[in-house]
Amino acid sequence: MRLFSRKKKPNRFVELLARQAEFTVQGMEALRQYMKQPDSTLAERVNKIEEEADEVRRILIDELNRTFVTPFDREDIFALSLTIDDMLDYAESTVDEMVTLRVKPNPFLERMVSLLTDAAMEIYRGVLRLEDHPNVANDHAVRAKALENRVENVYRDALADLFSDPQDLDGVMEILKLREIYRHLSNAADRGDQAANAIGDTVVKWL
């Protein structure tokens, strides 16, 4: 009778995907804080986190290229890594353009980023559960998709408010700036939805 069992070796790809997803949560959280208190320190933090996440993705792709047998389909690993990376890329482009264009946060931006932070957390939890609890992973993916829908609802409300009453040329310029920022966050939500789909596809094949 074995009193002690050997601990299962962590899956390298799940570890790297989880690390990517964790950085995305951190980046979204930093962006959420920026929306409440826009300063250069928080903007730089988003950029720094994105750089660290990129390095993790480079390692994952290198591992993928050098590994003959993978725990999940190679295409699913690549797709999940790419979409998680894109979420954080859009967070970075959001804060970069807000700084460059001198756009101040507003309630719509705060709400969209708050929902995206929650969605990033659901993706992260889904990745963590992929191997050992795939049904739970799928539950988190479903929640992430629901949050994407809520982001899109806020996005449409923001656009409707934006175009309601442009008063002068300065007002039109502000509309153009904000529309671009809103679009970045909408794109981040779309990529989060695709990441959730990638988790769902992996679960279907895993089961």
Side-chain angles (χ1 to χ4, degrees):
M1 178 178 177
R2 295 182 62 184
L3 297 179
F4 302 98
S5 59
R6 183 177 296 178
K7 188 175 180 181
K8 184 178 179 180
K9 185 179 180 180
N11 183 293
R12 180 63 170 158
F13 290 103
V14 172
E15 284 185 330
L16 290 169
L17 286 168
R19 190 65 179 139
Q20 259 195 279
E22 184 179 16
F23 274 129
T24 299
V25 173
Q26 292 175 11
M28 286 297 178
E29 177 59 31
L31 182 59
R32 187 184 68 83
Q33 293 175 17
Y34 180 88
M35 292 301 175
K36 293 183 177 181
Q37 183 184 344
D39 62 50
S40 59
T41 301
L42 288 169
E44 289 169 5
R45 175 159 171 73
V46 176
N47 292 330
K48 179 63 176 176
I49 291 170
E50 194 276 336
E51 290 176 1
E52 292 176 353
D54 275 351
E55 184 66 13
V56 175
R57 175 164 163 73
R58 291 188 193 99
I59 294 170
L60 184 146
I61 297 303
D62 184 60
E63 292 274 356
L64 200 58
N65 289 334
R66 294 191 294 113
T67 303
F68 184 70
V69 178
T70 57
F72 312 117
D73 281 359
R74 307 173 74 84
E75 295 81 4
D76 292 336
I77 294 172
F78 184 87
L80 184 51
S81 175
L82 176 63
T83 50
I84 291 172
D85 179 68
D86 284 346
M87 283 187 74
L88 188 51
D89 284 347
Y90 279 118
E92 181 189 36
S93 62
T94 295
V95 75
D96 283 349
E97 290 202 2
M98 289 183 72
V99 171
T100 301
L101 300 176
R102 298 179 183 178
V103 173
K104 295 180 180 180
N106 63 35
F108 292 113
L109 289 170
E110 288 185 34
R111 183 60 179 154
M112 290 174 76
V113 172
S114 178
L115 290 168
L116 282 168
T117 304
D118 291 342
M121 179 59 75
E122 293 296 343
I123 295 297
Y124 171 58
R125 289 171 176 163
V127 171
L128 288 179
R129 305 291 178 257
L130 256 180
E131 191 173 19
D132 294 329
H133 302 281
N135 286 324
V136 177
N138 194 60
D139 288 343
H140 287 298
V142 170
R143 292 176 189 173
K145 290 179 71 65
L147 286 161
E148 186 269 343
N149 289 332
R150 292 172 65 183
V151 173
E152 290 304 317
N153 288 337
V154 178
Y155 172 66
R156 286 190 289 270
D157 290 343
L159 288 182
D161 179 78
L162 196 59
F163 289 98
S164 61
D165 188 24
Q167 308 237 330
D168 52 29
L169 182 59
D170 288 339
V172 172
M173 293 302 295
E174 191 67 17
I175 285 174
L176 295 175
K177 292 176 184 179
L178 276 169
R179 183 179 64 176
E180 191 66 17
I181 304 302
Y182 291 153
R183 187 176 293 156
H184 285 310
L185 296 178
S186 175
N187 287 337
D190 178 67
R191 300 308 276 172
D193 183 70
Q194 291 183 38
N197 287 339
I199 290 174
D201 289 344
T202 301
V203 168
V204 169
K205 296 173 184 177
W206 185 252
L207 294 177

